[in-house]
């Protein structure tokens, strides 16, 4: 059973930076898709970024392109989300998600991912 544990959330002022981490364990297959989603109060969960663990291919939501970077450390089975130039509208609970053994078709569609972390809160003040 895949387990995902996020960390790194917190409160920052606009323009600041945070780095989220997602430590994964329990993988059976080597080819996986990993993603970060976020959900603000009263809003739907949205895809922020994704990475294919074998190829390193990345995808980003338009709202975070140029500000956020998703990366991985395969030796540590950890995926990161470096968030720079944070804005108040980035405030949300951030979730790590995984699809085991495949490359998802629609990276920002939450139903593509079968495993989720518990979430880490990011709050950006103006």
């Amino acid at each position: 059973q895949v387990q995902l544990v996020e960390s790194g959330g917190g409160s920052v002022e606009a323009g600041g930076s945070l780095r989220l981490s997602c430590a994964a364990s329990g993988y059976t297959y080597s080819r996986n898709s990993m993603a970060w989603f976020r959900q603000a109060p009263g809003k739907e969960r949205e895809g922020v970024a994704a990475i294919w663990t074998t190829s390193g291919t990345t995808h980003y939501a338009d709202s975070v392109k140029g500000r956020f970077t998703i990366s991985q450390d395969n030796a540590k089975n950890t995926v990161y989300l470096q968030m720079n130039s944070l804005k108040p509208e980035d405030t949300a609970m951030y979730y790590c998600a995984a699809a085991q053994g495949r490359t998802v078709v629609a990276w920002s569609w939450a139903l593509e991912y079968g495993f989720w972390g518990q979430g880490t809160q990011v709050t950006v003040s103006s």
Side-chain angles (χ1 to χ4, degrees):
Q1 184 75 359
V2 175
Q3 292 186 323
L4 306 172
V5 179
E6 302 103 330
S7 61
S11 297
V12 296
E13 294 184 350
S17 299
L18 285 172
R19 189 177 81 155
L20 306 183
S21 299
C22 173
S25 62
Y27 279 127
T28 301
Y29 304 100
S30 59
R31 182 168 62 93
N32 304 289
S33 302
M34 301 289 295
W36 286 96
F37 283 75
R38 66 186 181 186
Q39 188 167 19
K43 295 188 177 181
E44 293 188 357
R45 189 168 296 191
E46 64 170 342
V48 175
I51 187 167
W52 307 156
T53 59
T54 300
S55 66
T57 300
T58 57
H59 302 272
Y60 294 94
D62 288 343
S63 59
V64 306
K65 280 181 181 177
R67 300 189 298 123
F68 291 11
T69 302
I70 189 169
S71 62
Q72 60 181 347
D73 184 334
N74 289 336
K76 297 181 179 180
N77 286 333
T78 300
V79 172
Y80 304 97
L81 185 68
Q82 178 66 45
M83 304 185 296
N84 298 328
S85 302
L86 282 162
K87 304 175 181 180
E89 51 263 43
D90 294 318
T91 295
M93 184 71 78
Y94 283 70
Y95 297 91
C96 179
Q100 185 179 193
R102 64 188 186 92
T103 299
V104 304
V105 175
W107 75 266
S108 62
W109 192 31
L111 291 178
E112 286 271 34
Y113 301 88
F115 302 96
W116 293 81
Q118 81 287 352
T120 186
Q121 177 68 38
V122 171
T123 302
V124 184
S125 59
S126 57

